Amino acid sequence: MDTFDSLLYGFSIGLQPANILVCFIGVLVGTLTGVLPGIGPVGAISILLPISFHLPPISGIILLAGIYYGCMYGGSTTSILVNIPGEAASVVTCLDGYEMAKKGRAGAALGIAAFGSFFAGTLGVVGLMLFAAPLAKLGLKFGPPEYAAVIFLGLTLIIYLSQGPVIKGLMMGAFGLILSCIGLDPIQASPRMIFNTLHLWDGIDLAPLAMGLFGVSEVLINIEKAAAPEILKTKIKNLFPTLLDWMQAKWAILRGSILGFLLGVLPGGSPVIAAFASYGIEKRLSKEPHRFGKGAIEGVAGPESANNSACSGGFIPLFTLGIPPNVVLALFFGAMMIHGIRPGPLLLQDHPDIFWGVVSSMYIGNVMLLVLNLPLIPLWVQVLKIPYRILFPLILLFCLIGSYSLKTSAFDTLVMIFSGVIGYLFRKFEYEAAPLILAFVLGPMLELSLRQTLIISGGSLLIFFTRPISAVTLTFSILLLSSSVIAYFKRAKRSQEVSGSRGKR
Amino acid sequence: MITNRDQLSSLFWLAISIFVCVESLQDDVGSFITPGPGFFPFWSAVILGGLAIVLAVTSFLRKDREELTEQWIDVKWGKVLWVVASLLIYSLLLNTLGYLLTTLGLMLFLFALAGRAKIWSWLGSALLATLLSYLVFYSWLNVQLPKGKLGF
C-alpha cells in the first residue's frame, strides 16, 4: 500500500461513528483541560488513562491523542483572557495575547491562535504521515546498543531541558529508573523489591503513579491558595482576523509550524520548548521587535502554531522507534503497551490500523477543533468562572475511580495517594516529576537493552563507540550532560561568591 | 546542621540510595559480563546517591539565605492533611462499604471542606457527583466498582 491508499484505509477507521465520537470527546475534553488552568495535558491524560482501557485499542489511542492536541488549542484561551496559561505550552501566549485582549482585540487573538493551530496541526500530521515510514525502516536496523543510546539521549534531553537545576533532574531520572525495577526482572524473571507483597509482583502501574504525581499533587498545591484568577471583562468580537492580521501573522504561522514539528520529533522535544523557540525567533526576525510583549499578533500566531505541530511531530519517534520524546507521549507509550500494542519499527507493519487510524483521526480532530472552538469560546469563558472548590473534589474522584478501575484494586488507589503526597513534596522541594515519569517508562527498555549489550560485548562499554548510531548519540548525550553539569557547578560557585561578599559587608 | 531544603532532600535521597543498594545486593548484582537482576537498580541507586552527595555539598557551600521554614509559611496544612487523610480512609473503606456509600461520604466531606456556604448546596453537589459518576463509570463504561458488604 502506498501512502495515499494507507491514508484512505486510515480514514475508513477514523470515520467509523464510534471513532468519530471518541475523537470528538477527546478534543472536547482536551480543550476543556487546556482552558482550565492547572490541569494540563499530563494531568488530564493521567486521569483519563484508565478510561481508555475500557475502549478498543484504536478508540483508546484516538481519545488520548484528541485530548493531547485539544489541550494545545484550549490553552491559548486562558492565556489570552486571564493571563494565566491553561497549560505550559501556552505560557508564552500570555505575553502578547493578553495585551491584545486588553486593547479590545481578544477576538483576533483567539481567532489567529485557532487558525494557526489548525494549520500547524494539519501540517504536523502530514509530516507524521510522510516521515514515519522511512524512520521505521531505519529503526529496524537498531540493535540493543543503538536502543540503549537513543533512550539515554531521550532521558538526557528531558533532564537538560527541565526547568530546575540539572542535578535534581538527574536525581529524578535515577529515581524513576529505580521505581521501574520494582517487580519481575525482564531477563531472569526473578522478583525485585516487592517486599513480600503480591501487589508489587507486576511492578507499579504507570497510571496511579502519574495520576498521583501530576493530578493529586496539583490539587494539593491549589487548595493551599485562596485567590481566584480574574477574568478580563471584555466583549469578544471579530474572531476572524483582519487581512492586516493575516499579513502580519502568515510567516509566523508557517515558521512556527515547521520549527514546532522539527522540535517535536527530537527526543526530549516538547510543545513547550517549541512555543518558546518560536517566540524567540519571531522576535528576532521582526522588523519591529519593540511591538513584542505589547500585543504583537505574531507573538500569538507563532507559538500557538509551534506547540500544535510539535504535538504531531512527537508521535514520530514514539510510533517508529518506540521511544516517547516527552512525558505526555510516555503516557501514550504506557497506554499502548497495556492495550498489547508495542510502539516501534514494527508498528506500521503489525498494526497499520492503529497508525493510520490515529493519523486520520488527527485530521478529523483538527477540523473539529476549528469548527467547534470558535463558536464555543463564550462557553469556555463561562467554564473559567467555575470555582476551584467545585472542581477539586471532582478531579480527586476521577483519580480515585481511574486508579481503582485498572485492576479493581484498592492498592492502586493507595499508590496514587502516596504518589500524590510525594509529588506535592517534590513541588515544595523544587523537583520536577517529568524526568521521573519518562525514566519510569523508559527504564525497562533501557535495562533490557543495556544488559543485552553488555552480554553481547562481554562486559565492554566500548561497544557503544564502535557502532556509528550509538557512538554519535551517546557522544552527543555526554556532551549535553557535561555542559549542563559544568554550568551547574559554575552557578553554584558564583552563588557562593555572592553570598561570601554579602557576608563580608 | 540542616539549614535548607536541598540539604534535607539530599539526606532523603541518600537514604533511598543506600536502601536500594542493599536490596539490589541481595537480588544479585552480577558483573558487567553477566549482569544479574540487581545490576540495573544497584547502579541507578549508586548514581542517585552520588548526585545526592553532590547536591548536599553544593547547597552547603552556597550558604543560601533561604531558611527551611520559608517555603512552608503560607501553607494551609490543615486542608492538605484533611484531604490526604480522607483519601486514605476512602481507599481503606471502599471494598467494605461499597462505592456509593464511600464516595458519597468523601464527596460530602470534600465539598464541606471546600467551604460551600449553604448545607443544601454541598449536600446536592455531593449527591449529584456520586450518582453521575456511578452512572457514567458503572452503567455506561462497565467499570467494576465495589458493592461492599451491604450489597450496593
Side-chain angles (χ1 to χ4, degrees), chain A residues 340-358:
Chain A
I341 298 155
R342 190 179 176 81
L346 295 174
L347 180 79
L348 267 159
Q349 193 182 309
D350 295 345
H351 298 282
D353 53 330
I354 297 286
F355 180 81
W356 292 106
V358 171

Side-chain angles (χ1 to χ4, degrees), chain A residues 471-491:
Chain A
V472 171
T473 318
L474 211 58
T475 308
F476 185 56
S477 308
I478 292 168
L479 284 174
L480 269 181
L481 266 184
S482 317
S483 74
S484 42
V485 169
I486 290 166
Y488 173 80
F489 281 117
K490 274 186 179 171
R491 263 199 304 275

